[in-house]
Amino acid sequence: MRLKKSLILVFLLLVANPVCAEPLDLKKALVLGLQNNLDLKVVALDVQQADSGVLGQKSQFDVTAELAAGQSEAEILTASAFFPGESLTVETFSGKFSLSKQFATGLQSRLSLQGDRTEGGSSDFLSDQLDPAYQANMVLDLTQPLLKDFGWNANLAGINAAQIRKKQAALSYLGRAVQLVAEIEAAYLELAKAQEEYRHYTLARDLAQELLDGNELKLDAGLIPVTEVNEARSALAGREESMLLAQQGVLLAHNSLIDLLHEPEISQSEDLQVEFPKLDNSVFPELEEALSQGLNKRPDLLQMRLETDIRQIELDYADNQLWPRLDLEGSYALNGLAGDDQGAGSVYAGDWNDALSGAFDRDGTQWYAGLRLTMPLQNRAARAAYDSSRVSKRQTLYQLQRREIATETAIRSAHATTELGAKRYEVAKRYAALAEETLEQENQRLDEGLSDTFRVLSFQNALITARIREISAKVDYYKALSTLFAAMGTNLERYEIVAALPRIGAE
């Protein structure tokens, strides 16, 4: 009877899983963490900020409207024979509306419509026929750089860099998601390990209690000395202490996991149960494949490669700024004139509408075309900026190479640890099976009177230690797999999870 009961307890020691709510599986924990983790949400907002940066860079090509109005008065001294007085007072009311725009080639354009109303003194001039006089002007100004600031590369540099930074922000989000998944996996496995250890220590305590109960019966029957009972009592106390320490470990691991998930229902649960995920050795890649995937898929490497693109854009722009500024300038204007006739029968008699119509009827035109050269003689600022950009690019290339080497080292180490971890786990399982078999044999010897409490307790401790080592080896192997896939940057793909970016502008 004693042997049967001990074997039942040993079996429970191996497969025990207390009746509780539905366990939280690992994939669900990962999804909850990606949905609710506040640190990940903070990084997601960087994408929105980067999108605003692109919009800000594009603003340099926005159309700018300008509206101005003013009044001026001037008293002009004169000594004209046609004017008897000593001075002339002129009042001018002016208004101007213009539209300006810069284009990707560097072309700067400005279209202006201006009107002036001049009054005062004109009737005293025999040569003047209009008072007040209305002038309307429509002017188109164009300036096209030919060297410095010429072309799409120079003028779109800011936009192109901002768009790459937006991609970097998305990769940063993906990288944080990869890191978060690894952190949740580690915390989840630690909780699974702590719960398994607690179950084993609890059942080990039950084994000691059962042995103590049997020894007390034998002591009452005069079959064993009291020292056998005391040995069992001491073992029971020691295992109760181990059980409490294991319970503390469960509490700490539980808190570490819920701190990453940020899920209210789980956070309020005091009896969260997890289980070891099932392993699929078919997804365990060979070293060369792991290296290839890691060097091509790790978000931080992709982010660093994009940084080299930004440095090249900055270098190209700095190279363009070394040139002197040579601008092709052009201007074309239409002028219209009208006003109140002072009795001389002017053909321009009329009001504002007549002046504006006259401008469109080409009453008067003017144009200008020319080149303007601006060249700093020393050009130290541009040369300093170019040298700085060239050094920055070189630094970024070195950083990328260092990151690639570090990635390769991390993958090689994780791959080796995973291979050894799998072998260690198999050895630990065999060791635990042998310890179980040895304990069964010793229990038989105890029932036959060929063993004692000390030996049985020793073999029980050996089995407990073997099972704890098996759990540790299993968790270490699982963690090594997690570390390998995280080093490759493919741990989201491993669980068929897509870390989609939140919609821009969404809360």
Side-chain angles (χ1 to χ4, degrees), residues 102-272:
Q102 179 179 343
F103 294 88
T105 60
L107 175 66
Q108 295 180 345
S109 63
R110 182 184 184 89
L111 179 63
S112 304
L113 177 61
Q114 180 173 345
D116 294 323
R117 179 183 184 277
T118 304
E119 180 180 6
S122 295
S123 60
D124 296 321
F125 280 111
L126 298 179
S127 59
D128 289 339
Q129 300 179 19
L130 303 176
D131 186 20
Y134 303 95
Q135 286 186 320
N137 309 97
M138 179 168 287
V139 183
L140 176 63
D141 294 308
L142 299 173
T143 302
Q144 173 61 58
L146 300 179
L147 295 177
K148 183 178 181 180
D149 294 331
F150 169 76
W152 287 273
N153 289 339
N155 291 280
L156 296 180
I159 295 177
N160 293 336
Q163 289 174 336
I164 293 177
R165 289 191 178 93
K166 182 179 176 181
K167 294 179 182 179
Q168 285 183 312
L171 287 170
S172 178
Y173 172 85
L174 180 60
R176 181 64 187 98
V178 167
Q179 180 184 355
L180 177 62
V181 165
E183 292 172 0
I184 293 175
E185 280 187 286
Y188 184 96
L189 292 172
E190 281 298 322
L191 180 56
K193 174 184 177 182
Q195 289 179 348
E196 284 294 311
E197 289 181 347
Y198 177 67
R199 292 169 191 148
H200 282 71
Y201 282 121
T202 299
L203 293 170
R205 187 271 317 266
D206 294 341
L207 284 177
Q209 182 66 59
E210 186 242 354
L211 183 60
L212 175 60
D213 294 341
N215 283 355
E216 287 178 342
L217 292 176
K218 289 181 180 180
L219 178 64
D220 294 339
L223 299 177
I224 58 173
V226 68
T227 54
E228 297 270 336
V229 175
N230 290 336
E231 270 191 304
R233 286 175 178 167
S234 298
L236 177 61
R239 292 181 184 179
E240 285 179 344
E241 180 187 13
S242 297
M243 184 184 69
L244 292 174
L245 288 174
Q247 186 177 12
Q248 175 181 308
V250 171
L251 177 61
L252 296 177
H254 172 271
N255 291 339
S256 296
L257 179 60
I258 64 175
D259 181 65
L260 293 171
L261 300 185
H262 297 169
E263 170 62 30
E265 294 183 4
I266 293 179
S267 299
Q268 296 171 4
S269 173
E270 297 181 356
D271 189 29
L272 175 63

Side-chain angles (χ1 to χ4, degrees), residues 286-298 300-301 305 399-417 483-484 486-489:
E286 297 294 334
L287 177 58
E288 293 304 319
E289 181 184 354
L291 289 171
S292 176
Q293 291 189 30
L295 293 174
N296 288 285
K297 293 186 176 181
R298 271 185 63 131
D300 58 333
L301 283 179
R305 290 180 183 128
Q399 291 170 351
L400 174 60
Q401 293 175 6
R402 182 67 188 92
R403 186 73 58 87
E404 289 174 342
I405 293 173
T407 297
E408 183 175 344
T409 302
I411 292 174
R412 289 183 181 277
S413 298
H415 196 275
T417 302
T483 301
L484 174 60
M488 294 163 54

Side-chain angles (χ1 to χ4, degrees), residues 1-9 210 439-445 447:
M1 181 65 182
R2 176 184 180 85
L3 174 60
K4 181 178 180 181
K5 187 174 181 181
S6 295
L7 290 176
I8 291 174
L9 286 172
E210 186 242 354
L439 177 58
E440 290 176 0
Q441 294 172 353
E442 197 62 29
N443 281 329
Q444 290 177 355
R445 287 170 53 83
D447 288 340

Side-chain angles (χ1 to χ4, degrees), residues 480-499:
L481 278 172
S482 173
T483 301
L484 174 60
F485 283 100
M488 294 163 54
T490 58
N491 52 357
L492 292 175
E493 297 178 17
R494 179 188 181 195
Y495 293 104
E496 298 180 345
I497 296 175
V498 177

